[in-house]
């Protein structure tokens, strides 16, 4: 439509110029040489103006208000000012393909008895020469413009490798060591400023510090304690006795073991071993004991902690002693006496739930997010409480820690925490896209969260994102730009519940939900050194498998097509669960950790027994993660058609409905219709769009809009705490069902007609139906456009 309008406008302008000259007083019927040249040049000028790219100069970053801090440097990314860009390629091709293009702008010389044949011949020759000259000017102007900014259609596969080959393990290692040294002498704000300065030195555009004043829950002035009522023995969470010498030796360690946003106070009650705290565990326990206001001895893992805490709260418990069983950890990790922290915050600033913590926002008083007293303790303390050896191992077989049901242990637990408003800082910069600057690929890492937990993890994450920025900017400085905008984010406050990413996402939610194409997570890229473990949205699994197989080396194990859509830790949470953004995360892990219970990474230890340089001494794993993530970023940012698979979503839905749960027949029938529709969509629309000979710019833009939004159909309104609202993500590798259905079924196995389960079935059914209608509507729109053109 835009192309036809442009052509008609050019015709009308050319006609008006000629007509005006013919009607002008003092002029003859004929156009002399000067008039003809002026007309041709004016026509070229009008056409060039019409063909100019309007979107590139519209990407402006306005200064924004500083958030809550006098020392803040925040100038927020004003994403509202970014307008959709239209590529000139479609219009120019349209003009070239007009069969009567030349005829529109050439006029036959009118007959006159006053003109000689020679004069007419001379005039005609001049007109032809000028016209050809104008065409040549237009052609070379167009060629120069398009060559100045490389189009993604002309990018060969090796182009990405040319960018990525400048990434070297030694550079990542140097950056990592500098960050570790920086952390020893600087606070969080200074670390953020140094990250910002480094990114600016690499050439990243408009790097900003975005600050939010948020409510943090921190350790109290004195350590929490656990006291055996029978003997009066008092212990700190690490297992050390409560004496003055222990406080002096490791005062920081004693304060570091706590649950952020737990209730605080004192409780004396019986300890009941609930194992992992699943629904089945609690059903078994409640048949044997009264759980009202008792203290649960809970193992971390298998299910999200927040979900298990909600179950214990419903069961009537008053307190929780939380620990990590050594049998669940790899042999290389021995944190039996190590203290750790956890966060009970589902995400964002607790004082502003659902909205951003900007100046003037109403602040709710929410010092605790649960009524339970929750205290993490070491495995060595658990062994003392149950009178068991600290390491119960025979013939390399680990025996889990268990408190026998027939034994009674009464303890008094005291939990002390303080809440205060503090600054959380995000570092945000971007490389503006050329043809679609209003479409964003977000790349997220995180920096030190003021707590020191998982001390080297943040430096690993920041070093990797910095290495990719360095490689990308080397190419940008040579005149190339990605088609879509790449936004780089280093989040703050991650350990307390992804606070920095949530607040930024809530502030810009209206813009982000329309414009974000994908999120690439670099949360904890190197957790082990034996296996590459990619996690991706269903729509991106095919791309991840392709990149993984292509970059697979002999040195490291390659898991093939082992790509999952499961819940992950870190700052991707908001973008997956509130925006429905397709997400990718590459990470190295230990096979033993992958085989053990999930969600053990929710425990943030003050220090690790193995440093990052022990895990990856040459930083080859870091280099591998940087290149894998970088290639995915570049392909999403540059491919004319987004490399998403609609059919893979339908296949994931069908796989998640396998099982013995009742009432799924209707869901399977709906899933079958979804698969048929996505197969048609993939073959009729995506295949032609990926063929440069059949590609039409307006159809590509429409197609990308559909691909970008397709996972939003699977966002449900209400889910149990800790489970994803995006039901395409399963709880872990060991479950093959929708987490919403699995949780509801666990609560009502005896009663298949339970209202909770029926409601969960309805939520899933409506999501599948919504997706099927969405793709069907997309096919109808394309068909209408095609009919309109014909």
């Amino acid at each position: 439509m835009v192309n036809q309008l442009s052509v008609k406008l050019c015709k009308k302008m050319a006609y008006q110029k000629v007509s005006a000259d013919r009607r002008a007083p003092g002029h003859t019927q004929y156009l002399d040489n000067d008039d003809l040249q002026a007309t041709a040049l004016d026509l070229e000028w009008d056409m060039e103006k019409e063909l100019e790219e309007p979107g590139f100069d519209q990407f402006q970053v306005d200064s924004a208000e500083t958030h809550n801090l006098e020392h803040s440097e925040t100038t927020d990314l004003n994403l509202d000012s970014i307008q959709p860009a239209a590529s000139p390629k479609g219009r120019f091709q349209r003009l070239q393909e007009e069969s009567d293009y030349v005829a529109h702008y050439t006029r036959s010389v009118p007959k006159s008895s006053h003109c000689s044949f020679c004069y007419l011949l001379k005039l005609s020759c001049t007109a032809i020469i000028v016209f050809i000259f104008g065409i040549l000017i237009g052609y070379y102007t167009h060629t120069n413009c398009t060559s100045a900014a490389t189009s993604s259609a002309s990018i060969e596969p090796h182009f990405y490798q040319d960018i990525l080959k400048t990434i070297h393990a030694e550079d990542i290692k140097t950056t990592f060591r500098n960050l570790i040294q920086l952390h020893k002498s600087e606070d969080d704000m200074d670390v953020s400023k140094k990250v910002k300065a480094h990114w600016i030195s690499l050439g990243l555009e408009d790097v900003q510090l975005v600050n939010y004043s948020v409510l943090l829950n921190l350790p109290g002035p004195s350590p929490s304690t656990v006291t055996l009522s029978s003997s009066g023995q008092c212990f700190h969470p690490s297992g050390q006795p409560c004496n003055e010498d222990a406080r002096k030796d490791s005062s920081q360690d004693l304060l570091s073991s706590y649950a952020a946003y737990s209730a605080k106070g004192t409780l004396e009650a019986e300890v009941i071993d609930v194992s992992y705290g699943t629904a089945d565990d609690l059903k078994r326990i409640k048949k044997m004991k009264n759980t009202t206001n008792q203290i649960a001895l809970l193992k971390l893992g298998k299910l999200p902690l927040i979900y298990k805490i909600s179950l214990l709260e419903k069961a009537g418990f008053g307190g929780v002693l939380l620990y990590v069983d050594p049998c669940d950890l790899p042999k290389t990790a021995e944190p039996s006496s190590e203290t750790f922290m956890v966060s009970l915050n589902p995400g964002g600033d607790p004082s502003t739930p659902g909205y951003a913590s900007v100046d003037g926002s109403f602040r709710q008083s929410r010092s605790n997010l649960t009524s339970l007293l929750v205290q993490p303790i070491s495995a060595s303390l658990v062994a003392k409480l149950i009178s068991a050896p600290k390491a119960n191992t025979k013939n390399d077989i680990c025996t889990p820690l268990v408190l026998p049901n027939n034994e009674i242990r009464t303890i008094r637990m005291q939990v002390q925490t303080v809440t205060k408003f503090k600054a959380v800082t995000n570092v945000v910069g971007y490389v503006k896209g050329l043809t679609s600057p209003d479409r964003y690929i977000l790349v997220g890492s995180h920096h030190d969260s003021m707590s020191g937990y998982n001390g080297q993890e943040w430096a690993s994450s920041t070093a990797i994102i910095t290495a990719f920025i360095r490689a990308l900017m080397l190419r940008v400085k040579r005149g190339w730009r990605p088609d879509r905008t790449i936004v780089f984010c280093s989040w703050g406050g991650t350990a307390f519940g992804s606070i920095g990413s949530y607040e930024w996402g809530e502030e810009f939610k209206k813009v982000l939900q329309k414009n974000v194409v994908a999120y690439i997570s670099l949360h904890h890229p190197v957790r082990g050194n034996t296996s590459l473990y990619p996690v991706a949205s269903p729509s991106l699994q095919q791309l991840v498998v392709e990149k993984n197989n292509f970059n697979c080396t002999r040195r490291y194990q390659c898991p093939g097509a082992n790509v999952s859509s499961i819940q992950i830790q870190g700052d991707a949470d908001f973008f997956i669960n509130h925006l429905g953004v397709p997400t990718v995360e590459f990470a190295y892990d230990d096979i033993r950790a992958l085989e053990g219970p999930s969600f053990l990474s929710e425990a943030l230890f003050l220090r690790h027994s193995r440093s990052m340089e022990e895990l990856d001494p040459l930083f080859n794993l870091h280099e591998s993660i940087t290149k894998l993530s970088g290639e995915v970023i570049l392909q999403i940012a540059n491919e004319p058609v987004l490399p998403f698979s609609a059919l893979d979503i339908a296949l994931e839905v069908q796989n998640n409905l396998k099982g013995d749960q009742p009432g799924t027949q209707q869901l399977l029938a709906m899933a079958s219709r979804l698969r048929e529709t996505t197969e048609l969509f993939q073959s009729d629309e995506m295949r032609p769009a990926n063929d440069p000979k059949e590609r039409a710019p307006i159809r590509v833009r429409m197609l990308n809009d559909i691909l970008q939004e397709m996972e939003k159909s699977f966002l449900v309104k209400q889910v149990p705490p800790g489970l994803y609202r995006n039901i395409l993500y399963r709880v872990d590798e060991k479950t093959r069902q929708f987490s919403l259905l699995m949780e509801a079924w666990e609560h009502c196995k005896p009663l298949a007609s339970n209202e909770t389960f029926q409601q969960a079935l309805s939520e899933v059914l409506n999501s599948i139906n919504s997706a099927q209608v969405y793709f069907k509507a997309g096919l109808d729109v394309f068909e209408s456009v095609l009919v309109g053109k014909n």
Side-chain angles (χ1 to χ4, degrees):
M1 194 71 177
V2 175
N3 294 335
Q4 294 174 344
L5 183 60
S6 300
V7 173
K8 291 178 180 179
L9 185 59
C10 287
K11 295 177 182 178
K12 184 175 180 181
M13 289 189 295
Y15 178 78
Q16 288 175 339
K17 286 183 178 291
V18 175
S19 299
D21 288 340
R22 291 186 62 188
R23 292 193 299 266
H27 280 249
T28 64
Q29 301 176 7
Y30 307 105
L31 299 174
D32 57 24
N33 291 346
D34 293 337
D35 293 332
L36 185 59
Q37 292 177 8
T39 300
L41 291 174
D42 285 342
L43 176 59
E44 289 298 329
W45 173 252
D46 289 331
M47 287 180 62
E48 287 178 13
K49 288 197 297 182
E50 173 62 13
L51 296 176
E52 283 179 355
E53 171 60 63
F56 187 73
D57 292 329
Q58 293 178 3
F59 190 98
Q60 300 292 336
V61 180
D62 301 328
S63 296
E65 296 181 0
T66 303
H67 292 304
N68 307 303
L69 293 176
E70 294 180 0
H71 63 280
S72 170
E73 295 184 356
T74 306
T75 305
D76 292 330
L77 188 63
N78 188 357
L79 301 176
D80 288 305
S81 63
I82 307 171
Q83 300 297 328
S87 171
K89 182 177 178 182
R91 298 179 187 172
F92 193 79
Q93 285 181 339
R94 178 77 179 185
L95 291 175
Q96 288 179 320
E97 293 167 1
E98 286 283 347
S99 59
D100 57 343
Y101 174 64
V102 179
H104 286 313
Y105 302 104
T106 57
R107 297 180 54 83
S108 59
V109 181
K111 297 180 181 180
S112 175
S113 58
H114 302 288
C115 293
S116 65
F117 176 77
C118 293
Y119 181 78
L120 290 174
L121 182 61
K122 178 181 178 181
L123 185 61
S124 300
C125 292
T126 304
I128 292 171
I129 292 171
V130 171
F131 182 78
I132 293 174
F133 182 69
I135 291 294
L136 292 174
I137 291 176
Y139 173 78
Y140 283 108
T141 300
H142 174 72
T143 302
N144 291 336
C145 289
T146 55
S147 62
T150 307
S151 171
S152 62
S154 63
I155 292 180
E156 299 295 335
H158 63 76
F159 180 82
Y160 301 143
Q161 298 304 318
D162 289 343
I163 295 177
L164 300 174
K165 71 182 181 182
T166 60
I167 297 171
H168 302 294
E170 192 59 38
D171 294 334
I172 301 175
K173 187 174 185 178
T174 300
T175 302
F176 171 84
R177 287 179 170 177
N178 291 339
L179 291 169
I180 292 296
Q181 293 299 319
L182 179 66
H183 168 56
K184 292 179 181 179
S185 59
E186 306 284 357
D187 61 17
D188 182 67
M189 176 59 72
D190 289 330
V191 170
S192 301
K193 290 181 178 179
K194 293 295 175 62
V195 172
K196 173 188 174 182
H198 193 180
W199 287 7
I200 290 176
S201 69
L202 297 176
L204 199 60
E205 300 164 4
D206 198 47
V207 184
Q208 305 292 334
L209 296 183
V210 186
N211 298 321
Y212 299 97
S213 179
V214 300
L215 186 66
L216 297 184
N217 188 244
L218 304 170
S222 58
S224 299
T225 59
V226 176
T227 304
L228 288 171
S229 298
S230 58
S231 63
Q233 287 181 289
C234 176
F235 299 96
H236 292 301
S238 62
Q240 294 175 281
C242 300
N243 55 51
E244 203 64 35
D245 293 336
R247 288 195 182 96
K248 291 179 180 178
D249 293 341
S250 54
S251 58
Q252 181 59 42
D253 289 2
L254 295 179
L255 294 174
S256 63
S257 183
Y258 82 109
Y261 306 104
S262 162
K264 55 186 178 181
T266 303
L267 174 65
E268 185 170 2
E270 179 185 349
V271 177
I272 299 177
D273 191 341
V274 297
S275 188
Y276 292 100
T278 64
D280 287 340
D281 290 333
L282 294 181
K283 287 177 184 178
R284 172 178 51 83
I285 293 298
K286 292 182 74 173
K287 289 179 181 179
M288 297 184 293
K289 294 191 175 185
N290 177 19
T291 59
T292 303
N293 214 34
Q294 304 297 345
I295 298 174
L297 183 62
L298 176 67
K299 292 183 183 182
L300 190 69
K302 286 196 175 182
L303 290 169
L305 176 61
I306 297 175
Y307 172 68
K308 296 197 291 185
I309 293 294
S310 70
L311 295 183
L312 294 173
E313 204 167 13
K314 290 178 182 178
F317 282 91
V320 178
L321 293 178
L322 179 69
Y323 72 102
V324 178
D325 195 318
C327 296
D328 292 336
L329 294 171
K331 294 180 180 180
T332 53
E334 296 182 2
S336 60
S337 61
E338 282 195 32
T339 54
F340 63 95
M341 78 159 283
V342 293
S343 175
L344 306 181
N345 180 13
D349 179 8
S351 70
T352 58
Y355 53 95
S357 298
V358 297
D359 288 336
S361 296
F362 172 70
R363 303 281 180 163
Q364 300 184 22
S365 177
R366 303 179 75 197
S367 58
N368 58 281
L369 299 178
T370 177
S371 62
L372 302 181
L373 298 176
V374 182
Q375 178 59 57
I377 61 176
S378 65
S380 60
L381 177 55
V382 175
K384 294 176 182 179
L385 294 178
I386 66 176
S387 302
K390 187 170 75 170
N392 193 359
T393 304
K394 294 181 180 180
N395 300 324
D396 291 333
I397 299 176
C398 184
T399 303
L401 295 170
V402 177
L403 175 64
N405 292 325
N406 58 355
E407 296 186 16
I408 297 177
R409 299 284 190 279
T410 302
I411 68 165
R412 183 175 69 254
M413 61 183 297
Q414 183 181 34
V415 176
Q416 300 189 59
T417 60
V418 295
T419 54
K420 60 177 64 175
F421 284 94
K422 297 195 71 172
V424 163
T425 306
N426 299 326
V427 186
V428 181
Y430 66 91
V431 175
K432 185 169 62 176
L434 181 62
T435 60
S436 297
D438 61 329
R439 292 294 180 260
Y440 319 138
I441 291 86
L442 302 184
V443 186
S445 66
H446 67 101
H447 52 267
D448 183 41
S449 57
M450 301 175 293
S451 55
Y453 296 94
N454 284 13
Q456 296 187 353
E457 174 195 310
W458 75 272
S460 172
S461 173
T462 305
I464 284 179
I465 195 172
T466 302
F468 179 70
I469 291 173
R470 180 188 295 110
L472 184 69
M473 296 313 298
L474 288 175
R475 177 64 64 168
V476 171
K477 290 174 182 178
R478 292 165 55 185
W480 173 85
R481 280 187 178 273
D483 282 353
R484 302 177 182 94
T485 296
I486 304 176
V487 182
F488 295 95
C489 311
S490 182
W491 307 114
T494 300
F496 295 95
S498 303
I499 292 180
S501 56
Y502 257 81
E503 296 310 304
W504 189 79
E506 287 171 347
E507 181 175 8
F508 294 106
K509 184 174 181 179
K510 295 298 182 183
V511 178
L512 296 174
Q513 64 188 0
K514 294 188 300 182
N515 297 343
V516 175
V517 171
Y519 183 89
I520 313 301
S521 172
L522 298 171
H523 172 67
H524 194 174
V526 180
R527 303 188 285 262
N529 57 9
T530 60
S531 181
L532 181 64
Y533 185 61
V535 175
S537 300
S539 59
L540 281 170
Q541 287 186 9
Q542 184 176 328
L543 175 64
V544 170
V545 170
E546 291 174 359
K547 299 309 169 190
N548 185 30
N549 292 340
F550 181 76
N551 291 279
C552 196
T553 62
R554 296 179 181 177
R555 181 165 184 169
Y556 307 110
Q557 293 190 25
C558 299
N562 186 26
V563 184
S564 305
S565 296
I566 61 173
Q567 295 191 195
I568 57 177
Q569 301 296 310
D571 294 288
D573 185 277
F574 180 84
F575 305 99
I576 293 173
N577 287 304
H578 294 270
L579 302 182
V581 174
T583 301
V584 173
E585 179 182 85
F586 291 97
Y588 275 98
D589 212 332
D590 288 317
I591 292 179
R592 177 69 177 81
L594 297 176
E595 293 172 349
S598 52
F599 297 99
L600 293 179
S601 59
E602 290 184 306
L604 303 180
F605 291 93
L606 186 63
R607 57 182 179 271
H608 281 298
S609 57
R610 300 178 70 191
S611 69
M612 195 62 67
E613 295 200 38
E614 289 176 331
L615 280 175
D616 186 19
L618 299 178
F619 274 66
N620 289 327
L621 300 181
H622 284 74
E623 179 182 326
S624 176
I625 293 293
T626 309
K627 290 182 175 180
L628 280 169
S629 302
E631 191 163 3
V632 169
I633 295 166
L634 290 172
Q635 189 157 345
I636 296 175
N638 285 289
E639 293 300 313
V641 178
L642 291 172
F644 299 167
S645 173
L647 179 58
D648 284 349
I649 291 180
L651 295 175
E652 186 76 11
V653 169
Q654 288 186 317
N655 288 333
N656 288 347
L657 291 174
K658 295 177 180 178
D660 57 355
Q661 298 165 343
T664 58
Q665 292 303 315
Q666 190 175 1
L667 297 181
L668 286 169
M670 183 65 69
S672 179
R673 289 198 291 273
L674 173 62
R675 178 172 178 172
E676 292 173 0
T677 305
T678 54
E679 285 177 345
L680 190 62
F681 181 84
Q682 199 114 331
S683 62
D684 285 12
E685 302 304 334
M686 294 192 67
R687 183 199 57 76
N690 280 294
D691 185 350
K693 295 180 180 179
E694 301 183 43
R695 187 180 297 150
I698 187 172
R699 291 174 67 85
V700 169
R701 180 71 183 209
M702 291 168 58
L703 176 60
N704 285 336
D705 288 344
I706 294 174
L707 294 172
Q708 177 184 323
E709 301 284 327
M710 57 189 179
E711 288 196 13
K712 291 179 172 58
S713 297
F714 295 93
L715 296 179
V716 299
K717 294 181 180 179
Q718 294 289 337
V719 292
L723 300 186
Y724 270 15
R725 287 182 58 217
N726 189 331
I727 62 174
L728 289 174
Y729 290 78
R730 292 173 281 111
V731 171
D732 58 22
E733 284 279 13
K734 300 175 181 64
T735 57
R736 295 302 307 175
Q737 295 86 28
F738 287 111
S739 58
L740 187 64
L741 293 182
M742 179 199 69
E743 190 274 338
W745 178 240
E746 287 294 320
H747 281 81
C748 60
K749 283 181 181 177
L751 304 171
S753 60
N754 184 281
E755 183 178 341
T756 301
F757 184 65
Q758 295 301 319
Q759 185 176 357
L761 285 173
S762 179
E763 288 273 17
V764 175
L765 179 67
N766 287 330
S767 295
I768 300 173
N769 181 64
S770 175
Q772 197 272 336
V773 170
Y774 178 76
F775 284 112
K776 182 66 168 61
L779 287 170
D780 293 341
V781 168
F782 279 111
E783 184 177 352
S784 300
V785 171
L786 187 61
V787 171
K789 285 190 173 184
N790 293 335

